[in-house]
């Protein structure tokens, strides 16, 4: 059916009515941020024209954008949460245009959408996963350390008896042609002395390299053990999350369990 002027005017009137309600909410929420947390879903949706009109260009320059509006709402919500739960709680803009994140001491706890009035926790490691990750990392460091120690021992033995090490190296390689050339070099004392000095210098460099690696691996292991599994922090995190969740339940927010909706 073809639209007539009345249909277009009606659509304008509908949008104007939405804008009036949204404006009233914003004005009231400036003094009482709780209203926005509680009532935004009644007058604002994710795809409302409200967000579009915040993108303003004048004289070829951007004067305002919807991201600034999103950040302003985040400050309102931050004020509300601080009043309810304390200054250690903050709200950050999580993703454009509607998702926000409740943080406690810089730790992300809960993501929420005030326009669809839901909240949830993104999937994090469980206690079992944290323990496995800790054990796997420790095992990997220990394996690396063992391999480095073995290489270092080989180089130290090579330094004690360099000629024996060279002969054994080529015997193990079963490189007969090289092995024959080695004895050819030995016949020329000057060449032998020069080659031996090069080899010894190379062995010294390897020893230094492996010793540095062992020190670095030792520091990594000590830091890893000192950091621990993080299970205690996880348990504390869950306790704090429960307290914050109670506030969402109080205002009728739906608990969202589908992870993709929390981004």
């Amino acid at each position: 059916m073809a639209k007539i002027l009345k249909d277009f005017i009606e659509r304008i009137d509908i949008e104007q009515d939405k804008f009036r309600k949204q404006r009233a909410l914003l004005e009231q929420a400036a003094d009482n941020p709780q209203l926005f947390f509680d009532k935004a879903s009644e007058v604002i949706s994710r795809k409302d024209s409200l967000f579009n009109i915040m993108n303003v260009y004048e004289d070829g320059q951007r004067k305002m954008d919807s991201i600034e509006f999103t950040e302003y709402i985040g400050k309102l919500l931050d004020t509300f949460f601080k009043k309810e739960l304390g200054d250690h709680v903050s709200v950050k803009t999580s993703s454009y245009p509607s998702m926000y994140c409740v943080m406690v001491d810089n730790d992300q706890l809960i993501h929420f959408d005030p326009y669809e009035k839901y909240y949830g926790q993104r999937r994090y490691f469980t206690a079992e996963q944290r323990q496995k990750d800790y054990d796997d990392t420790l095992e990997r460091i220990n394996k690396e350390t063992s391999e480095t120690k073995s290489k270092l021992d080989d180089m130290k033995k090579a330094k004690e008896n360099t000629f024996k090490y060279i002969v054994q190296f080529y015997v193990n390689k079963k490189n007969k042609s090289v092995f024959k050339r080695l004895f050819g070099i030995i016949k020329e004392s000057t060449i032998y002395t020069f080659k031996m000095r090069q080899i010894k210098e190379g062995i010294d460099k390897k020893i230094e390299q492996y010793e540095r690696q062992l020190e670095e691996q030792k520091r990594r292991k000590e830091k890893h053990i000192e950091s621990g599994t993080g299970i205690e922090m996880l348990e504390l995190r869950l306790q704090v999350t429960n307290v914050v969740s109670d506030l969402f339940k109080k205002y009728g927010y739906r608990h969202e369990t589908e992870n993709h909706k929390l981004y």
Side-chain angles (χ1 to χ4, degrees):
M1 180 183 295
K3 301 298 182 184
I4 60 176
L5 177 60
K6 178 178 177 294
D7 297 319
F8 300 122
I9 298 299
E10 182 179 351
R11 173 50 51 190
I12 293 173
D13 290 340
I14 290 173
E15 289 300 315
Q16 285 180 333
D17 184 55
K18 281 185 179 180
F19 283 139
R20 280 192 290 268
K21 291 177 180 178
Q22 291 165 351
R23 173 178 173 171
L25 176 62
L26 287 171
E27 290 177 335
Q28 295 168 21
D31 296 322
N32 185 8
Q34 171 199 329
L35 284 174
F36 197 92
F37 181 73
D38 189 24
K39 303 297 184 183
S41 62
E42 297 177 9
V43 296
I44 303 174
S45 67
R46 284 186 173 197
K47 297 182 179 181
D48 265 344
S49 300
L50 176 65
F51 296 101
N52 294 329
I53 66 170
M54 298 304 171
N55 291 309
V56 180
Y57 277 91
E58 291 178 357
D59 300 325
Q61 294 183 341
R62 181 179 287 279
K63 300 295 183 179
M64 180 186 299
D65 63 39
S66 56
I67 295 177
E68 291 175 313
F69 179 63
T70 300
E71 291 173 347
Y72 170 76
I73 298 304
K75 291 178 181 178
L76 283 180
L77 296 169
D78 182 68
T79 300
F80 166 67
F81 272 86
K82 279 182 165 54
K83 181 180 179 182
E84 292 288 325
L85 300 175
D87 289 338
H88 61 292
V89 178
S90 62
V91 172
K92 304 293 183 183
T93 303
S94 176
S95 59
Y96 174 76
S98 62
M99 193 65 65
Y100 294 89
C101 178
V102 180
M103 305 182 67
V104 176
D105 297 331
N106 296 319
D107 188 17
Q108 295 186 10
L109 292 187
I110 292 178
H111 291 78
F112 69 100
D113 184 336
Y115 309 118
E116 294 195 9
K117 213 167 185 178
Y118 66 72
Y119 75 100
Q121 300 82 44
R122 293 178 181 175
R123 293 195 183 99
Y124 298 97
F125 278 163
T126 64
E128 291 77 12
Q129 289 170 328
R130 284 182 180 271
Q131 184 65 58
K132 184 178 184 306
D133 182 66
Y134 176 88
D135 292 341
D136 288 348
T137 301
L138 186 60
E139 181 180 357
R140 184 169 62 252
I141 295 174
N142 285 336
K143 183 178 179 180
E144 291 175 4
T145 301
S146 177
E147 291 174 351
T148 304
K149 285 180 178 178
S150 178
K151 293 176 181 178
L152 178 61
D153 289 342
D154 284 345
M155 287 298 102
K156 286 182 176 180
K157 290 177 181 177
K159 185 174 183 178
E160 291 175 1
N161 194 335
T162 305
F163 181 72
K164 179 181 178 181
Y165 175 80
I166 296 171
V167 172
Q168 188 62 45
F169 174 80
Y170 286 113
V171 168
N172 290 338
K173 287 288 186 179
K174 297 180 179 179
N175 193 330
K176 295 181 180 179
S177 61
V178 175
F179 189 62
K180 290 179 180 179
R181 288 202 300 272
L182 174 64
F183 278 94
I185 290 172
I186 293 173
K187 293 178 181 178
E188 302 292 335
S189 59
T190 303
I191 297 176
Y192 168 76
T193 302
F194 174 72
K195 290 290 184 181
M196 184 62 75
R197 184 172 67 250
Q198 281 188 319
I199 293 171
K200 286 184 175 181
E201 288 174 353
I203 290 173
D204 286 337
K205 288 180 180 178
K206 282 293 184 181
I207 289 175
E208 292 176 3
Q209 174 188 333
Y210 294 141
E211 286 177 341
R212 287 195 302 271
Q213 287 181 2
L214 283 177
E215 286 297 318
E216 189 271 335
Q217 289 160 354
K218 179 182 178 182
R219 286 193 295 269
R220 282 170 53 202
K221 182 174 180 179
E222 290 173 348
K223 184 177 180 180
H224 181 66
I225 293 173
E226 182 181 352
S227 298
T229 61
I231 292 176
E232 291 183 0
M233 288 300 300
L234 177 63
E235 293 174 347
L236 178 60
R237 188 178 193 278
L238 291 174
Q239 293 174 11
V240 176
T241 299
N242 289 335
V243 173
V244 178
S245 296
D246 288 340
L247 188 60
F248 285 96
K249 294 174 185 176
K250 176 182 175 181
Y251 285 91
Y253 275 66
R254 171 176 58 85
H255 184 223
E256 178 58 65
T257 57
E258 293 188 34
N259 203 53
H260 71 275
K261 291 186 178 181
L262 302 174
Y263 287 85

